Amino acid sequence: MKKGYLAHKCYCAGAIYHLHTVFCQRNKLLSINPFSNETANTIFCDGMLLVVNKEFDTHKGHFLSLLQQQLNVNPLLTIDKAIIDNEILSSHNAVTGEACSIYSITSDNTLPIATLSILKVSE
C-alpha cells in the first residue's frame, strides 16, 4: 500500500523541500510531490523529514551528535544549512525506486542550546 509522509520541511538528495509529501510503497521511495490536498494514508510528522537510504540507520547516532556539535559551535547556523552541509547525511541519499528510511528530526529551542531528537517514522 502506498503511504505518504508530510512535514513542513523535508530533506532528500541534497535539497530541502517545503510542504512536500514523500510517497513510499513497501519502504521504497516513489516520489516527493508538492502538497496540494489531503491524501489517504498520509501521516503528518512534526519537525523535518529526512529521507535516506537504509545504510543511514547504522549512522544515525553519529549524524545526530555531529549535527548537535555543528549547531553548538555556531549558534547562528540554521538547522537547514547544517543538514545540507552534513557529510554523513549527504553520503546516504535516498534514490527513487530503492529502499529508504524516513526520519523526523525535531529541535527544542526552549533551552539555551537547542537539543535535537530523531525518530524513525517509516517501517
mmCIF file with all atom_site columns, all heavy atoms in Angstrom, residues 90-110:
data_model
loop_
_atom_site.group_PDB
_atom_site.id
_atom_site.type_symbol
_atom_site.label_atom_id
_atom_site.label_alt_id
_atom_site.label_comp_id
_atom_site.label_asym_id
_atom_site.label_entity_id
_atom_site.label_seq_id
_atom_site.pdbx_PDB_ins_code
_atom_site.Cartn_x
_atom_site.Cartn_y
_atom_site.Cartn_z
_atom_site.occupancy
_atom_site.B_iso_or_equiv
_atom_site.pdbx_formal_charge
_atom_site.auth_seq_id
_atom_site.auth_comp_id
_atom_site.auth_asym_id
_atom_site.auth_atom_id
_atom_site.pdbx_PDB_model_num
ATOM 1   N N   . SER A 1 90  ? 24.718 13.513 3.519  1.00 0.00 ? 90  SER A N   1
ATOM 2   C CA  . SER A 1 90  ? 24.906 13.613 2.062  1.00 0.00 ? 90  SER A CA  1
ATOM 3   C C   . SER A 1 90  ? 25.429 12.323 1.446  1.00 0.00 ? 90  SER A C   1
ATOM 4   O O   . SER A 1 90  ? 25.256 12.091 0.251  1.00 0.00 ? 90  SER A O   1
ATOM 5   C CB  . SER A 1 90  ? 25.825 14.787 1.714  1.00 0.00 ? 90  SER A CB  1
ATOM 6   O OG  . SER A 1 90  ? 27.118 14.575 2.223  1.00 0.00 ? 90  SER A OG  1
ATOM 7   N N   . SER A 1 91  ? 26.037 11.457 2.246  1.00 0.00 ? 91  SER A N   1
ATOM 8   C CA  . SER A 1 91  ? 26.526 10.188 1.701  1.00 0.00 ? 91  SER A CA  1
ATOM 9   C C   . SER A 1 91  ? 25.483 9.073  1.807  1.00 0.00 ? 91  SER A C   1
ATOM 10  O O   . SER A 1 91  ? 25.765 7.932  1.467  1.00 0.00 ? 91  SER A O   1
ATOM 11  C CB  . SER A 1 91  ? 27.828 9.775  2.399  1.00 0.00 ? 91  SER A CB  1
ATOM 12  O OG  . SER A 1 91  ? 27.589 9.506  3.754  1.00 0.00 ? 91  SER A OG  1
ATOM 13  N N   . HIS A 1 92  ? 24.279 9.414  2.279  1.00 0.00 ? 92  HIS A N   1
ATOM 14  C CA  . HIS A 1 92  ? 23.211 8.421  2.421  1.00 0.00 ? 92  HIS A CA  1
ATOM 15  C C   . HIS A 1 92  ? 21.918 8.887  1.754  1.00 0.00 ? 92  HIS A C   1
ATOM 16  O O   . HIS A 1 92  ? 20.826 8.702  2.288  1.00 0.00 ? 92  HIS A O   1
ATOM 17  C CB  . HIS A 1 92  ? 22.971 8.115  3.906  1.00 0.00 ? 92  HIS A CB  1
ATOM 18  C CG  . HIS A 1 92  ? 24.097 7.373  4.527  1.00 0.00 ? 92  HIS A CG  1
ATOM 19  N ND1 . HIS A 1 92  ? 25.134 7.998  5.160  1.00 0.00 ? 92  HIS A ND1 1
ATOM 20  C CD2 . HIS A 1 92  ? 24.377 6.054  4.564  1.00 0.00 ? 92  HIS A CD2 1
ATOM 21  C CE1 . HIS A 1 92  ? 25.995 7.092  5.589  1.00 0.00 ? 92  HIS A CE1 1
ATOM 22  N NE2 . HIS A 1 92  ? 25.561 5.909  5.234  1.00 0.00 ? 92  HIS A NE2 1
ATOM 23  N N   . ASN A 1 93  ? 22.041 9.481  0.585  1.00 0.00 ? 93  ASN A N   1
ATOM 24  C CA  . ASN A 1 93  ? 20.864 9.962  -0.129 1.00 0.00 ? 93  ASN A CA  1
ATOM 25  C C   . ASN A 1 93  ? 19.986 8.818  -0.603 1.00 0.00 ? 93  ASN A C   1
ATOM 26  O O   . ASN A 1 93  ? 20.473 7.804  -1.091 1.00 0.00 ? 93  ASN A O   1
ATOM 27  C CB  . ASN A 1 93  ? 21.273 10.822 -1.333 1.00 0.00 ? 93  ASN A CB  1
ATOM 28  C CG  . ASN A 1 93  ? 21.791 12.170 -0.909 1.00 0.00 ? 93  ASN A CG  1
ATOM 29  O OD1 . ASN A 1 93  ? 21.290 12.755 0.033  1.00 0.00 ? 93  ASN A OD1 1
ATOM 30  N ND2 . ASN A 1 93  ? 22.788 12.676 -1.614 1.00 0.00 ? 93  ASN A ND2 1
ATOM 31  N N   . ALA A 1 94  ? 18.683 9.010  -0.470 1.00 0.00 ? 94  ALA A N   1
ATOM 32  C CA  . ALA A 1 94  ? 17.710 8.038  -0.975 1.00 0.00 ? 94  ALA A CA  1
ATOM 33  C C   . ALA A 1 94  ? 17.570 8.219  -2.481 1.00 0.00 ? 94  ALA A C   1
ATOM 34  O O   . ALA A 1 94  ? 17.734 9.316  -3.007 1.00 0.00 ? 94  ALA A O   1
ATOM 35  C CB  . ALA A 1 94  ? 16.366 8.252  -0.296 1.00 0.00 ? 94  ALA A CB  1
ATOM 36  N N   . VAL A 1 95  ? 17.270 7.112  -3.150 1.00 0.00 ? 95  VAL A N   1
ATOM 37  C CA  . VAL A 1 95  ? 17.099 7.123  -4.606 1.00 0.00 ? 95  VAL A CA  1
ATOM 38  C C   . VAL A 1 95  ? 15.702 6.585  -4.914 1.00 0.00 ? 95  VAL A C   1
ATOM 39  O O   . VAL A 1 95  ? 15.277 5.577  -4.345 1.00 0.00 ? 95  VAL A O   1
ATOM 40  C CB  . VAL A 1 95  ? 18.170 6.238  -5.286 1.00 0.00 ? 95  VAL A CB  1
ATOM 41  C CG1 . VAL A 1 95  ? 17.960 6.165  -6.779 1.00 0.00 ? 95  VAL A CG1 1
ATOM 42  C CG2 . VAL A 1 95  ? 19.571 6.761  -4.962 1.00 0.00 ? 95  VAL A CG2 1
ATOM 43  N N   . THR A 1 96  ? 14.997 7.256  -5.819 1.00 0.00 ? 96  THR A N   1
ATOM 44  C CA  . THR A 1 96  ? 13.666 6.812  -6.216 1.00 0.00 ? 96  THR A CA  1
ATOM 45  C C   . THR A 1 96  ? 13.710 5.364  -6.694 1.00 0.00 ? 96  THR A C   1
ATOM 46  O O   . THR A 1 96  ? 14.583 4.987  -7.459 1.00 0.00 ? 96  THR A O   1
ATOM 47  C CB  . THR A 1 96  ? 13.114 7.722  -7.331 1.00 0.00 ? 96  THR A CB  1
ATOM 48  O OG1 . THR A 1 96  ? 13.103 9.070  -6.861 1.00 0.00 ? 96  THR A OG1 1
ATOM 49  C CG2 . THR A 1 96  ? 11.703 7.316  -7.722 1.00 0.00 ? 96  THR A CG2 1
ATOM 50  N N   . GLY A 1 97  ? 12.777 4.569  -6.198 1.00 0.00 ? 97  GLY A N   1
ATOM 51  C CA  . GLY A 1 97  ? 12.689 3.163  -6.577 1.00 0.00 ? 97  GLY A CA  1
ATOM 52  C C   . GLY A 1 97  ? 13.486 2.222  -5.700 1.00 0.00 ? 97  GLY A C   1
ATOM 53  O O   . GLY A 1 97  ? 13.388 1.012  -5.844 1.00 0.00 ? 97  GLY A O   1
ATOM 54  N N   . GLU A 1 98  ? 14.289 2.773  -4.786 1.00 0.00 ? 98  GLU A N   1
ATOM 55  C CA  . GLU A 1 98  ? 15.093 1.939  -3.899 1.00 0.00 ? 98  GLU A CA  1
ATOM 56  C C   . GLU A 1 98  ? 14.612 2.066  -2.456 1.00 0.00 ? 98  GLU A C   1
ATOM 57  O O   . GLU A 1 98  ? 13.900 3.000  -2.101 1.00 0.00 ? 98  GLU A O   1
ATOM 58  C CB  . GLU A 1 98  ? 16.569 2.317  -4.019 1.00 0.00 ? 98  GLU A CB  1
ATOM 59  C CG  . GLU A 1 98  ? 17.147 1.983  -5.382 1.00 0.00 ? 98  GLU A CG  1
ATOM 60  C CD  . GLU A 1 98  ? 18.651 2.182  -5.445 1.00 0.00 ? 98  GLU A CD  1
ATOM 61  O OE1 . GLU A 1 98  ? 19.280 2.423  -4.400 1.00 0.00 ? 98  GLU A OE1 1
ATOM 62  O OE2 . GLU A 1 98  ? 19.179 2.099  -6.558 1.00 0.00 ? 98  GLU A OE2 1
ATOM 63  N N   . ALA A 1 99  ? 15.030 1.111  -1.630 1.00 0.00 ? 99  ALA A N   1
ATOM 64  C CA  . ALA A 1 99  ? 14.637 1.102  -0.221 1.00 0.00 ? 99  ALA A CA  1
ATOM 65  C C   . ALA A 1 99  ? 15.127 2.369  0.477  1.00 0.00 ? 99  ALA A C   1
ATOM 66  O O   . ALA A 1 99  ? 16.228 2.846  0.214  1.00 0.00 ? 99  ALA A O   1
ATOM 67  C CB  . ALA A 1 99  ? 15.201 -0.133 0.467  1.00 0.00 ? 99  ALA A CB  1
ATOM 68  N N   . CYS A 1 100 ? 14.278 2.889  1.348  1.00 0.00 ? 100 CYS A N   1
ATOM 69  C CA  . CYS A 1 100 ? 14.647 4.103  2.082  1.00 0.00 ? 100 CYS A CA  1
ATOM 70  C C   . CYS A 1 100 ? 14.127 4.017  3.506  1.00 0.00 ? 100 CYS A C   1
ATOM 71  O O   . CYS A 1 100 ? 13.305 3.168  3.840  1.00 0.00 ? 100 CYS A O   1
ATOM 72  C CB  . CYS A 1 100 ? 14.087 5.338  1.386  1.00 0.00 ? 100 CYS A CB  1
ATOM 73  S SG  . CYS A 1 100 ? 12.295 5.537  1.518  1.00 0.00 ? 100 CYS A SG  1
ATOM 74  N N   . SER A 1 101 ? 14.628 4.908  4.330  1.00 0.00 ? 101 SER A N   1
ATOM 75  C CA  . SER A 1 101 ? 14.119 5.121  5.683  1.00 0.00 ? 101 SER A CA  1
ATOM 76  C C   . SER A 1 101 ? 13.737 6.587  5.777  1.00 0.00 ? 101 SER A C   1
ATOM 77  O O   . SER A 1 101 ? 14.349 7.436  5.129  1.00 0.00 ? 101 SER A O   1
ATOM 78  C CB  . SER A 1 101 ? 15.193 4.817  6.731  1.00 0.00 ? 101 SER A CB  1
ATOM 79  O OG  . SER A 1 101 ? 15.499 3.445  6.743  1.00 0.00 ? 101 SER A OG  1
ATOM 80  N N   . ILE A 1 102 ? 12.742 6.862  6.573  1.00 0.00 ? 102 ILE A N   1
ATOM 81  C CA  . ILE A 1 102 ? 12.320 8.245  6.776  1.00 0.00 ? 102 ILE A CA  1
ATOM 82  C C   . ILE A 1 102 ? 12.372 8.533  8.269  1.00 0.00 ? 102 ILE A C   1
ATOM 83  O O   . ILE A 1 102 ? 11.811 7.789  9.078  1.00 0.00 ? 102 ILE A O   1
ATOM 84  C CB  . ILE A 1 102 ? 10.906 8.498  6.230  1.00 0.00 ? 102 ILE A CB  1
ATOM 85  C CG1 . ILE A 1 102 ? 10.851 8.159  4.741  1.00 0.00 ? 102 ILE A CG1 1
ATOM 86  C CG2 . ILE A 1 102 ? 10.497 9.952  6.475  1.00 0.00 ? 102 ILE A CG2 1
ATOM 87  C CD1 . ILE A 1 102 ? 9.469  8.249  4.147  1.00 0.00 ? 102 ILE A CD1 1
ATOM 88  N N   . TYR A 1 103 ? 13.071 9.589  8.616  1.00 0.00 ? 103 TYR A N   1
ATOM 89  C CA  . TYR A 1 103 ? 13.201 10.027 9.993  1.00 0.00 ? 103 TYR A CA  1
ATOM 90  C C   . TYR A 1 103 ? 12.610 11.414 10.136 1.00 0.00 ? 103 TYR A C   1
ATOM 91  O O   . TYR A 1 103 ? 12.607 12.200 9.186  1.00 0.00 ? 103 TYR A O   1
ATOM 92  C CB  . TYR A 1 103 ? 14.673 10.095 10.409 1.00 0.00 ? 103 TYR A CB  1
ATOM 93  C CG  . TYR A 1 103 ? 15.337 8.755  10.557 1.00 0.00 ? 103 TYR A CG  1
ATOM 94  C CD1 . TYR A 1 103 ? 15.938 8.121  9.475  1.00 0.00 ? 103 TYR A CD1 1
ATOM 95  C CD2 . TYR A 1 103 ? 15.371 8.117  11.795 1.00 0.00 ? 103 TYR A CD2 1
ATOM 96  C CE1 . TYR A 1 103 ? 16.546 6.890  9.615  1.00 0.00 ? 103 TYR A CE1 1
ATOM 97  C CE2 . TYR A 1 103 ? 15.980 6.877  11.942 1.00 0.00 ? 103 TYR A CE2 1
ATOM 98  C CZ  . TYR A 1 103 ? 16.567 6.275  10.849 1.00 0.00 ? 103 TYR A CZ  1
ATOM 99  O OH  . TYR A 1 103 ? 17.167 5.055  10.991 1.00 0.00 ? 103 TYR A OH  1
ATOM 100 N N   . SER A 1 104 ? 12.155 11.727 11.329 1.00 0.00 ? 104 SER A N   1
ATOM 101 C CA  . SER A 1 104 ? 11.728 13.071 11.663 1.00 0.00 ? 104 SER A CA  1
ATOM 102 C C   . SER A 1 104 ? 12.723 13.609 12.676 1.00 0.00 ? 104 SER A C   1
ATOM 103 O O   . SER A 1 104 ? 12.985 12.967 13.695 1.00 0.00 ? 104 SER A O   1
ATOM 104 C CB  . SER A 1 104 ? 10.323 13.043 12.260 1.00 0.00 ? 104 SER A CB  1
ATOM 105 O OG  . SER A 1 104 ? 9.959  14.335 12.701 1.00 0.00 ? 104 SER A OG  1
ATOM 106 N N   . ILE A 1 105 ? 13.285 14.771 12.373 1.00 0.00 ? 105 ILE A N   1
ATOM 107 C CA  . ILE A 1 105 ? 14.225 15.393 13.305 1.00 0.00 ? 105 ILE A CA  1
ATOM 108 C C   . ILE A 1 105 ? 13.573 16.648 13.861 1.00 0.00 ? 105 ILE A C   1
ATOM 109 O O   . ILE A 1 105 ? 13.023 17.457 13.121 1.00 0.00 ? 105 ILE A O   1
ATOM 110 C CB  . ILE A 1 105 ? 15.592 15.688 12.641 1.00 0.00 ? 105 ILE A CB  1
ATOM 111 C CG1 . ILE A 1 105 ? 16.578 16.199 13.671 1.00 0.00 ? 105 ILE A CG1 1
ATOM 112 C CG2 . ILE A 1 105 ? 15.464 16.626 11.470 1.00 0.00 ? 105 ILE A CG2 1
ATOM 113 C CD1 . ILE A 1 105 ? 18.007 16.147 13.223 1.00 0.00 ? 105 ILE A CD1 1
ATOM 114 N N   . THR A 1 106 ? 13.568 16.745 15.189 1.00 0.00 ? 106 THR A N   1
ATOM 115 C CA  . THR A 1 106 ? 12.948 17.886 15.851 1.00 0.00 ? 106 THR A CA  1
ATOM 116 C C   . THR A 1 106 ? 13.964 18.586 16.736 1.00 0.00 ? 106 THR A C   1
ATOM 117 O O   . THR A 1 106 ? 14.951 17.989 17.165 1.00 0.00 ? 106 THR A O   1
ATOM 118 C CB  . THR A 1 106 ? 11.742 17.454 16.699 1.00 0.00 ? 106 THR A CB  1
ATOM 119 O OG1 . THR A 1 106 ? 12.168 16.463 17.630 1.00 0.00 ? 106 THR A OG1 1
ATOM 120 C CG2 . THR A 1 106 ? 10.623 16.897 15.831 1.00 0.00 ? 106 THR A CG2 1
ATOM 121 N N   . SER A 1 107 ? 13.695 19.853 16.997 1.00 0.00 ? 107 SER A N   1
ATOM 122 C CA  . SER A 1 107 ? 14.594 20.666 17.801 1.00 0.00 ? 107 SER A CA  1
ATOM 123 C C   . SER A 1 107 ? 13.810 21.311 18.930 1.00 0.00 ? 107 SER A C   1
ATOM 124 O O   . SER A 1 107 ? 12.698 21.798 18.726 1.00 0.00 ? 107 SER A O   1
ATOM 125 C CB  . SER A 1 107 ? 15.219 21.755 16.927 1.00 0.00 ? 107 SER A CB  1
ATOM 126 O OG  . SER A 1 107 ? 16.004 22.629 17.699 1.00 0.00 ? 107 SER A OG  1
ATOM 127 N N   . ASP A 1 108 ? 14.391 21.313 20.116 1.00 0.00 ? 108 ASP A N   1
ATOM 128 C CA  . ASP A 1 108 ? 13.802 22.004 21.259 1.00 0.00 ? 108 ASP A CA  1
ATOM 129 C C   . ASP A 1 108 ? 14.602 23.282 21.471 1.00 0.00 ? 108 ASP A C   1
ATOM 130 O O   . ASP A 1 108 ? 15.710 23.254 21.984 1.00 0.00 ? 108 ASP A O   1
ATOM 131 C CB  . ASP A 1 108 ? 13.862 21.126 22.507 1.00 0.00 ? 108 ASP A CB  1
ATOM 132 C CG  . ASP A 1 108 ? 13.274 21.815 23.723 1.00 0.00 ? 108 ASP A CG  1
ATOM 133 O OD1 . ASP A 1 108 ? 12.842 22.982 23.608 1.00 0.00 ? 108 ASP A OD1 1
ATOM 134 O OD2 . ASP A 1 108 ? 13.247 21.194 24.792 1.00 0.00 ? 108 ASP A OD2 1
ATOM 135 N N   . ASN A 1 109 ? 14.044 24.396 21.009 1.00 0.00 ? 109 ASN A N   1
ATOM 136 C CA  . ASN A 1 109 ? 14.742 25.676 21.107 1.00 0.00 ? 109 ASN A CA  1
ATOM 137 C C   . ASN A 1 109 ? 14.451 26.418 22.402 1.00 0.00 ? 109 ASN A C   1
ATOM 138 O O   . ASN A 1 109 ? 14.827 27.574 22.547 1.00 0.00 ? 109 ASN A O   1
ATOM 139 C CB  . ASN A 1 109 ? 14.376 26.563 19.912 1.00 0.00 ? 109 ASN A CB  1
ATOM 140 C CG  . ASN A 1 109 ? 14.978 26.041 18.630 1.00 0.00 ? 109 ASN A CG  1
ATOM 141 O OD1 . ASN A 1 109 ? 16.107 25.577 18.616 1.00 0.00 ? 109 ASN A OD1 1
ATOM 142 N ND2 . ASN A 1 109 ? 14.211 26.091 17.561 1.00 0.00 ? 109 ASN A ND2 1
ATOM 143 N N   . THR A 1 110 ? 13.783 25.775 23.358 1.00 0.00 ? 110 THR A N   1
ATOM 144 C CA  . THR A 1 110 ? 13.472 26.453 24.613 1.00 0.00 ? 110 THR A CA  1
ATOM 145 C C   . THR A 1 110 ? 14.673 26.481 25.549 1.00 0.00 ? 110 THR A C   1
ATOM 146 O O   . THR A 1 110 ? 14.711 27.259 26.483 1.00 0.00 ? 110 THR A O   1
ATOM 147 C CB  . THR A 1 110 ? 12.291 25.770 25.329 1.00 0.00 ? 110 THR A CB  1
ATOM 148 O OG1 . THR A 1 110 ? 12.648 24.412 25.612 1.00 0.00 ? 110 THR A OG1 1
ATOM 149 C CG2 . THR A 1 110 ? 11.029 25.823 24.479 1.00 0.00 ? 110 THR A CG2 1
#
